[in-house]
Amino acid sequence: MYSFEGDFRRKPQQNLAGASAQYKTDREALILQSQQQRQKREEHRKRLNSTIKIQAFVRSYLIRKHCKQNERDQFDSIFPRINPDDQVLVSSLVAKILFFYDPQHDYNRLVAISQLLLKQWKKVYQINGACVQIRRLLALHLRLLRDNNEVPLAVPLRMFEVFTSTNSAETHINCDEALSVVGGTFLYLVQRGYFQDLCQLICKKTPPLYGPSPNPPVPLAGALLELIQRPLSLISRVNIPYYDDRIMTEFTSAFLCNPYPEPVEMFIIPALAHDVNKPFPFLALIQCLRDDDKFHTKLLTNDSWLLHSVLALEPPDFVNMIRNMDNTRLPNNPIILDYFKIIAKLTVNVCNKQITYEYEDSLFSQDTVANKDDDSDEENEPNPTSIREQSILTKCIELLNEPERCVMSTCSQITETDLCEEFLDSVTEMCHNLLLSNKMALHKYRLLYTLAFKPMFVRGVWSWLSGMTQQSVFGAPAQPLLAALSRGLPHDSGVQRLLAPLATFCALFSLLIGTLHDTEFCRDISDEELNLAVGTSCPSTGGGRVHAFEFHELGGLCRTLRQVCLGLVELAYPESRPAVTGQYRDAVAASHIEISGKNETPAWAHLFKVCTGLLRALYARDGRLQFVGGGAWPAAGAVPPGAAAVLLVAGERARPATRRLRRPPNLAAAMAAPHEEGPPLTIKELRTVTILREIPFVVPFSTRVLIFQGLLTREKHDHWYEMTNFNEGPSINISVRRTHLYEDAFDKLRPENEPDLKLKLRVQLVNQAGAEEAGVDGGGLFREFLSELLKSAFDPNRGLFRLTVDNMLYPNPGVHLLYDDFPMHYYFVGRMLGKALYENLLVEVPLAEFFLGKLCGSGSADVHALASLDPALHRGLLLLRAHARPDVPDLGLDFTLLTDELGEQRIEELKPGGANIPVTAENRIEYIHLVADYKLNKQIRSQCNAFKSGLTSVVSAEWLRMFSCRELQLLISGAEVPIDLDDLKRHTQYAGGFSTTHPTVQCFWKVLENFTDDQRRQLLKFVTSCSRPPLLGFKDLQPPFCIQSAGASDRLPSSSTCMNLLKLPEFHTEELLAEKLLYAIQAGAGFELS
């Protein structure tokens, strides 16, 4: 195109970039190219420097080799013609061999010069600098012994024997200088592996050993032991800085830590511990182990072998030695306190190692120990501890519990003035570690039960941990740690300090109160009362006190423990953001303590277990003594109130795991429930279930009854229970003779015939004439049948049950003489009682408290229950407990018991070989407990197990655990309280033309006001088939109590018990109404159409 601006030519395009412009390079490529060139130059410099270094190293090696060879040649030329008296020349030859020594070529030269030195050893100390040369020569010999198995040991051992002896050095120099020289030599050698090399050597040269012995198995072992003892014998004698600590640290690291070999365990440690001429410096070992930095830096290892070594090396007269050094009482002695701190630190190795024994020598019989809860989820975990480590730990615990040793001697002599904070801290840590080592530790280990039977120690631990506080970071006043734990605050709030003392207190106090009679529990007892009433064969507790607390102090203690238990639950399942790791929550949720190395999860789970166990024991004792009072146990806000708790546990949206009141095996399982069971469990559900299982008494009884009834309602819904009213769903229909209720029901309701008794049960009764009664079972006939059946089953004349002196029922111990198949009868009766609970039917069956305890999972009954079963035996056992100690053998008792069943007398052994074991002052407590265990548990165990199996086949055992013995009796029979007419009137409905203003209804209530309580109960039984009012009042009676008009007054009152309906004719006078009503309710007529 032309330009009309006058410039018709294009301007020439000139490129000033030169010829390289045709190879255009962008910015990134240019930068990369520069980097690559720079990297090449850097690599070139590195190669050059490396080449220079390699050349220098090679030249240095060649020159050193050449120089060493020249020195070696000079040594070979001079040595054959050397004059031994020329000490200067000898010293120069030693210097030469120290310079050129090579283990592969110069072994003979080293032996030769060493032999020369040994011949002139007396003159060696006269040479200047000879000590340094000797140290270096000894280091060469040490390396030779370590690396070469074929080397003769004579010359190296002789070198150590001569030149590490203070006696040799003292021949030419003074004593202090000799100690300094030899000490410096040992310090030099020890820093170069002296003890480690001797340990390896003694393991190689010692033959197999068959048991611990302080005597050397071979002479060489004795010589090596001497070399081990020499540097140890200089401790506290040598004036060299840090000598004692360095020597003892290296010795401990080489011989006492880690899985040491057999010669060390069987020979070295026993020899060091029992050598009277060269006592082991045990105090130096204590000082060495005080430093925690050595364990943090891995210089020393805190393991099972170190614990065993320390306990085994403790001198036999250590206690007397400490007393001679410092006359302070042992619990306040600084050395003892340091020793206890070390033992407490080392006993952590016994935790969670599942130490097992061939037998369990506990306070209770073998049967009682083996009697585990039927519904326990505990499984056998694989034992992670080796057999050898288990053996070592068993020995450690035996040493720790020996009465003559320091720990037991100190703990057996403590008084109230000895309980300083340092002492309590160490001892509780020690006890806590022992408690975690074995499930029967409390009964097996002398240290634990000795401290448990010292009430002032238990009281001192509680006072100490109650006073622990944590300073607020915001400047607020310090708060008690128990209060922080009660609020479920996380571990970083300082509650970690409570772990050991609180767990120890709960465990020891549980054992203590288990051995106390109610009279001892209530108050302090004077010496006269002590001798007359209760007495004890426990270790001396000091003064007349047999209880750790005054009676008025127990209420506050129980309330504090209650809040601590709730705090532990909240710590495991916090409602807000989780404050602890899932491991602790899994441990609380599981019924067993998981093994997880040395973490603290098992310790917190153990704390939860012992704390709730102690609280349950105090709650059971409070039921008899009322030091807290039943109304003070429930805690506000522990679970949602009333109906909210029912909806949470038993509502339509409640998961099956929640309704079963079973905690998940771990938190992961709880948070990942199967899809068919609905969404995962919420934290509130987990907390509620845990509380209802472990400490249900902190929930009001009325709330628990509502939850129980809600669970039953939900269970019935799952079994199509209500649908049977419309002839849908499965049901049970039986016909029984009124005159043979028990026999017919036992035959027709066998598990083989009716495996599921949760179904609707309809009964057809046959009268005495053999004709079917005209009544139609709408529920009332069944309730009448069940009431009469249970009355017949529990009748003592039938032989299945006996009466205690206070007219309470318990299984007959001699039932096997009456029924061959007695377990089936108890299973049947248990099923029937379970059916009564399932149908919310109250039956008047007074069961003995110790029997109820087995049904609700309270465990085996104790001595206190003997008072109702056998008052004479109970009184005799108390007299035995109070008998003077020297006179107990004169009673002529042994561990047997004479039983009399239907005139047949037998002698039963309370323990294996009991006929040959006399009762003494030392074992009388065991005898008392074994007698009680036999009478209350062992002889009726089969009956109770069968009864409980039948009961729990209808009603879940987890649901029954929500109630105590007395509460379960209320659940079965209702409360023995007068009938509340006002409550009945408020919740009564009317039909058939009746109302509250009807004259007949007003006459009815006036007549009832004049009835006695027995007559009112007869009326209630006439209408509802049960003479006791509902547990929570008449508002819970279903169907509601109803009065219906029956028309003309020429008829008698009648009832429909299935509908709780009273059919009352319209009487016009109170006298006539009272006469007819009494006649009807007292006639005892059967079920007919009305």
Side-chain angles (χ1 to χ4, degrees):
M1 178 179 288
Y2 294 100
S3 171
F4 294 95
E5 296 178 356
D7 187 4
F8 58 92
R9 291 184 180 181
R10 289 182 300 175
K11 294 181 179 179
Q13 300 292 328
Q14 296 182 356
N15 190 348
L16 303 179
S20 61
Q22 56 183 336
Y23 306 105
K24 290 187 177 181
T25 304
D26 57 5
R27 182 175 179 274
E28 288 75 11
L30 183 61
I31 293 175
L32 179 61
Q33 182 180 359
S34 301
Q35 289 176 345
Q36 291 174 347
Q37 292 175 355
R38 190 180 304 110
Q39 185 176 358
K40 288 181 180 180
R41 291 193 298 270
E42 182 66 25
E43 290 177 355
H44 177 73
R45 281 194 297 270
K46 287 182 178 180
R47 284 196 298 270
L48 182 61
N49 291 334
S50 300
T51 303
I52 294 173
K53 289 180 180 178
I54 293 173
Q55 291 175 348
F57 178 80
V58 171
R59 285 196 299 269
S60 173
Y61 168 75
L62 294 176
I63 292 173
R64 287 199 309 274
K65 185 176 180 181
H66 178 71
C67 293
K68 288 182 179 181
Q69 188 60 43
N70 288 340
E71 294 293 323
R72 188 178 287 112
D73 294 339
Q74 292 181 21
F75 180 91
D76 292 340
S77 62
I78 297 173
F79 185 78
R81 47 191 177 79
I82 189 173
N83 180 9
D85 296 329
D86 189 351
Q87 300 299 323
V88 177
L89 187 57
V90 171
S91 178
S92 66
L93 288 180
V94 173
K96 291 180 182 296
I97 196 171
L98 291 174
F99 174 70
F100 66 75
Y101 179 75
D102 186 341
Q104 297 181 357
H105 305 100
D106 300 317
Y107 161 68
N108 293 327
R109 295 182 179 86
L110 177 62
V111 172
I113 194 66
S114 299
Q115 290 174 338
L116 180 63
L117 291 173
L118 289 173
K119 292 178 182 178
Q120 302 292 327
W121 67 270
K122 294 183 180 180
K123 299 180 180 180
V124 170
Y125 290 101
Q126 300 175 1
I127 307 174
N128 293 331
C131 295
V132 176
Q133 292 181 335
I134 292 299
R135 294 174 188 173
R136 296 180 62 189
L137 273 180
L138 291 177
L140 294 180
H141 281 290
L142 195 62
R143 192 189 314 166
L144 187 66
L145 293 174
R146 179 188 63 194
D147 299 335
N148 197 335
N149 295 330
E150 300 177 357
V151 174
L153 302 179
V155 173
L157 292 181
R158 180 61 180 166
M159 285 288 291
F160 281 103
E161 180 183 355
V162 171
F163 293 108
T164 60
S165 170
T166 55
N167 295 330
S168 301
E170 287 174 2
T171 57
H172 293 87
I173 54 181
N174 60 56
C175 179
D176 294 339
E177 189 177 352
L179 289 175
S180 178
V181 169
V182 177
T185 300
F186 275 125
L187 197 58
Y188 178 85
L189 294 174
V190 165
Q191 292 173 345
R192 284 155 181 80
Y194 176 78
F195 285 122
Q196 287 85 349
D197 294 341
L198 285 181
C199 183
Q200 294 181 17
L201 185 60
I202 201 170
C203 293
K204 293 177 183 177
K205 303 299 181 182
T206 303
L209 302 175
Y210 300 100
S213 173
N215 301 318
V218 292
L220 177 60
L224 295 175
L225 174 65
E226 171 71 18
L227 295 181
I228 294 172
Q229 288 179 310
R230 282 190 176 181
L232 299 177
S233 63
L234 297 181
I235 288 179
S236 73
R237 297 172 58 196
V238 177
N239 190 19
I240 299 177
Y242 308 111
Y243 175 87
D244 296 2
D245 185 68
R246 290 177 180 174
I247 294 295
M248 189 54 69
T249 301
E250 294 296 332
F251 168 77
T252 303
S253 176
F255 284 97
L256 307 186
C257 293
N258 303 313
Y260 38 61
E262 182 184 83
V264 175
E265 179 184 354
M266 299 295 183
F267 168 57
I268 297 297
I269 291 180
L272 292 174
H274 296 91
D275 194 336
V276 180
N277 298 323
K278 295 182 179 179
F280 181 78
F282 191 68
L283 293 180
L285 178 62
I286 294 177
Q287 293 296 321
C288 169
L289 298 178
R290 286 178 55 192
D291 190 359
D292 291 336
D293 291 338
K294 294 176 182 177
F295 296 97
H296 297 155
T297 57
K298 305 301 182 182
L299 283 176
L300 300 177
T301 305
N302 185 351
D303 56 16
S304 306
W305 283 266
L306 181 57
L307 172 62
H308 174 259
S309 302
V310 172
L311 293 173
L313 290 173
E314 180 187 316
D317 59 342
F318 183 60
V319 172
N320 294 329
M321 181 177 70
I322 296 300
R323 286 191 178 124
N324 295 332
M325 295 173 58
D326 187 349
N327 200 25
T328 310
R329 286 187 54 80
L330 291 178
N332 296 322
N333 190 292
I335 298 176
I336 296 295
L337 291 176
D338 286 340
Y339 183 46
F340 274 41
K341 289 178 185 177
I342 292 169
I343 296 297
K345 179 168 56 179
L346 296 179
T347 48
V348 71
N349 295 287
V350 305
C351 297
N352 312 311
K353 294 296 178 65
Q354 298 186 18
I355 301 173
T356 56
Y357 299 86
E358 294 181 2
Y359 58 91
E360 297 290 348
D361 184 19
S362 68
L363 194 63
F364 303 101
S365 67
Q366 294 292 325
D367 292 332
T368 304
V369 173
N371 183 28
K372 295 183 179 179
D373 191 1
D374 302 337
D375 304 294
S376 174
D377 297 326
E378 184 174 353
E379 299 176 357
N380 292 325
E381 292 286 331
N383 196 334
T385 312
S386 66
I387 296 177
R388 183 156 182 255
E389 186 175 2
Q390 276 209 46
S391 174
I392 287 290
L393 290 174
T394 303
K395 294 177 184 176
C396 291
I397 294 176
E398 291 174 355
L399 291 172
L400 198 62
N401 287 277
E402 286 186 5
E404 297 80 12
R405 289 188 167 265
C406 178
V407 173
M408 279 302 304
S409 297
T410 304
C411 291
S412 61
Q413 300 173 15
I414 57 175
T415 62
E416 292 188 19
T417 58
D418 296 329
L419 302 179
C420 63
E421 183 174 337
E422 288 182 275
F423 178 77
L424 290 173
D425 190 16
S426 302
V427 173
T428 53
E429 182 70 25
M430 220 182 300
C431 294
H432 184 230
N433 292 332
L434 289 178
L435 287 168
L436 293 175
S437 69
N438 184 270
K439 61 182 180 181
M440 294 299 294
L442 196 58
H443 303 288
K444 289 184 63 67
Y445 300 154
R446 183 187 298 269
L447 174 62
L448 295 177
Y449 59 72
T450 297
L451 292 174
F453 293 139
K454 288 186 173 295
M456 46 88 180
F457 175 80
V458 178
R459 183 185 181 89
V461 173
W462 178 253
S463 300
W464 172 51
L465 64 90
S466 298
M468 290 185 181
T469 58
Q470 176 72 18
Q471 192 66 40
S472 173
V473 296
F474 301 105
Q479 64 169 344
L481 288 182
L482 280 177
L485 183 58
S486 300
R487 295 198 299 272
L489 296 184
H491 293 177
D492 54 10
S493 63
V495 296
Q496 182 71 29
R497 293 165 50 199
L498 287 174
L499 182 57
L502 184 56
T504 301
F505 167 78
C506 292
L508 299 188
F509 192 38
S510 297
L511 180 60
L512 174 63
I513 64 176
T515 61
L516 296 179
H517 192 261
D518 285 349
T519 54
E520 298 169 302
F521 209 84
C522 291
R523 57 192 176 90
D524 288 344
I525 299 178
S526 65
D527 293 337
E528 292 78 8
E529 291 174 314
L530 194 66
N531 292 330
L532 291 175
V534 293
T536 181
S537 64
C538 304
S540 175
T541 58
R545 177 181 288 276
V546 292
H547 197 297
F549 298 93
E550 304 288 347
F551 189 75
H552 67 272
E553 297 174 325
L554 292 171
L557 172 67
C558 293
R559 285 186 286 272
T560 302
L561 285 175
R562 178 195 63 187
Q563 294 306 120
V564 167
C565 291
L566 292 174
L568 288 171
V569 174
E570 186 174 350
L571 194 62
Y573 307 117
E575 292 183 348
S576 57
R577 182 174 57 87
V580 294
T581 61
Q583 293 175 333
Y584 167 58
R585 289 177 287 178
D586 292 351
V588 172
S591 60
H592 58 273
I593 297 177
E594 296 182 1
I595 301 301
S596 52
K598 293 184 179 179
N599 67 34
E600 295 167 352
T601 299
W604 280 96
H606 174 262
L607 173 61
F608 181 77
K609 177 182 177 182
V610 295
C611 196
T612 54
L614 174 59
L615 195 61
R616 287 194 296 267
L618 289 170
Y619 175 75
R621 191 67 68 106
D622 180 63
R624 297 192 298 270
L625 303 180
Q626 296 295 312
F627 47 79
V628 177
W633 283 101
V639 299
V646 178
L647 289 175
L648 185 68
V649 178
E652 293 183 0
R653 298 183 179 181
R655 261 73 75 199
T658 308
R659 297 202 302 271
R660 290 193 297 267
L661 290 186
R662 281 187 176 275
R663 294 169 299 173
N666 52 59
L667 193 68
M671 296 304 182
H675 295 297
E676 62 269 16
E677 294 192 0
L681 299 180
T682 64
I683 291 298
K684 185 176 292 187
E685 288 173 331
L686 290 171
R687 289 189 63 214
T688 301
V689 169
T690 302
I691 290 173
L692 289 174
R693 277 182 56 96
E694 301 297 337
I695 44 175
F697 43 84
V698 305
V699 181
F701 176 63
S702 58
T703 302
R704 281 178 282 143
V705 172
L706 287 174
I707 291 174
F708 179 72
Q709 293 174 347
L711 290 168
L712 290 177
T713 303
R714 187 66 184 174
E715 186 85 358
K716 293 174 183 177
H717 180 270
D718 293 343
H719 281 76
W720 292 56
Y721 192 86
E722 298 299 333
M723 298 301 295
T724 56
N725 295 329
F726 305 97
N727 293 324
E728 295 184 15
S731 63
I732 301 173
N733 297 277
I734 62 172
S735 175
V736 294
R737 294 170 292 175
R738 185 177 287 277
T739 55
H740 297 78
L741 279 181
Y742 182 85
E743 292 77 7
D744 290 355
F746 177 74
D747 178 61
K748 296 185 178 181
L749 294 178
R750 285 176 173 271
E752 299 84 5
N753 299 330
E754 300 295 343
D756 188 2
L757 212 58
K758 296 178 181 179
L759 301 176
K760 185 81 170 183
L761 177 60
R762 291 193 178 93
V763 179
Q764 176 64 60
L765 290 176
V766 177
N767 60 23
Q768 295 179 356
E772 292 184 351
E773 295 184 359
V776 178
D777 189 6
L781 188 57
F782 159 71
R783 286 187 283 183
E784 172 75 11
F785 155 76
L786 195 55
S787 298
E788 296 300 324
L789 172 63
L790 289 172
K791 184 184 297 184
S792 174
F794 283 97
D795 186 353
N797 293 323
R798 184 170 293 278
L800 292 174
F801 292 87
R802 283 183 180 177
L803 286 172
T804 63
V805 292
D806 48 358
N807 293 321
M808 308 301 282
L809 293 163
Y810 72 100
N812 182 7
V815 70
H816 61 279
L817 301 174
L818 302 175
Y819 298 90
D820 293 333
D821 59 344
F822 70 90
M824 291 302 300
H825 284 271
Y826 283 106
Y827 183 84
F828 168 72
V829 178
R831 286 183 96 198
M832 291 298 103
L833 184 61
K835 184 64 173 175
L837 287 172
Y838 191 80
E839 301 292 344
N840 200 17
L841 173 64
L842 299 179
V843 290
E844 299 177 29
V845 178
L847 301 179
E849 187 170 333
F850 65 88
F851 178 48
L852 286 167
K854 301 175 187 300
L855 303 182
C856 62
S858 299
S860 300
D862 54 15
V863 183
H864 311 287
L866 270 180
S868 64
L869 179 64
D870 192 337
L873 178 60
H874 181 256
R875 187 164 52 252
L877 292 177
L878 289 184
L879 291 174
L880 171 62
R881 184 183 174 101
H883 207 65
R885 293 177 63 88
D887 299 336
V888 173
D890 298 339
L891 298 175
L893 298 173
D894 55 28
F895 278 77
T896 61
L897 192 65
L898 180 65
T899 62
D900 186 354
E901 297 175 352
L902 299 179
E904 179 185 345
Q905 292 187 341
R906 290 188 305 171
I907 295 178
E908 299 284 349
E909 288 191 339
L910 299 177
K911 61 190 298 188
N916 301 319
I917 304 175
V919 176
T920 63
E922 286 71 28
N923 62 15
R924 58 179 165 180
I925 295 297
E926 181 185 10
Y927 172 78
I928 292 171
H929 279 272
L930 287 178
V931 169
D933 178 60
Y934 180 83
K935 298 288 288 185
L936 297 169
N937 302 312
K938 187 175 181 180
Q939 68 175 354
I940 59 173
R941 177 163 292 126
S942 299
Q943 297 91 312
C944 292
N945 289 341
F947 189 96
K948 184 176 181 181
S949 297
L951 176 65
T952 55
S953 69
V954 182
V955 180
S956 172
E958 306 289 347
W959 302 350
L960 297 179
R961 285 199 184 100
M962 290 192 294
F963 305 99
S964 66
C965 307
R966 299 186 180 187
E967 291 170 343
L968 183 58
Q969 182 68 66
L970 291 178
L971 211 60
I972 294 172
S973 303
E976 280 283 1
V977 295
I979 294 177
D980 188 348
L981 283 184
D982 293 334
D983 184 42
L984 178 59
K985 188 182 298 185
R986 280 195 303 270
H987 298 95
T988 297
Q989 297 181 358
Y990 304 95
F994 277 171
S995 66
T996 55
T997 59
H998 195 281
T1000 302
V1001 172
Q1002 292 180 348
C1003 288
F1004 173 78
W1005 291 117
K1006 290 179 181 180
V1007 168
L1008 280 192
E1009 290 176 358
N1010 297 324
F1011 273 12
T1012 64
D1013 190 61
D1014 288 339
Q1015 291 171 335
R1016 294 175 185 174
R1017 291 183 183 278
Q1018 289 173 353
L1019 172 66
L1020 191 61
K1021 184 175 179 63
F1022 178 73
V1023 179
T1024 67
S1025 76
C1026 182
S1027 63
R1028 293 188 178 181
L1031 275 178
L1032 303 180
F1034 286 99
K1035 67 178 184 298
D1036 287 337
L1037 184 63
Q1038 292 297 329
F1041 191 91
C1042 183
I1043 304 176
Q1044 176 180 305
S1045 174
S1049 60
D1050 56 346
R1051 302 179 59 185
L1052 286 174
S1054 60
S1055 66
S1056 295
T1057 54
C1058 56
M1059 301 300 294
N1060 296 330
L1061 178 65
L1062 174 62
K1063 300 174 182 179
L1064 187 65
E1066 297 184 6
F1067 300 111
H1068 301 291
T1069 64
E1070 294 181 19
E1071 292 77 10
L1072 181 61
L1073 191 150
E1075 178 186 353
K1076 298 291 185 179
L1077 187 59
L1078 283 175
Y1079 182 85
I1081 65 179
Q1082 294 175 350
F1087 284 80
E1088 300 290 348
L1089 290 176
S1090 61

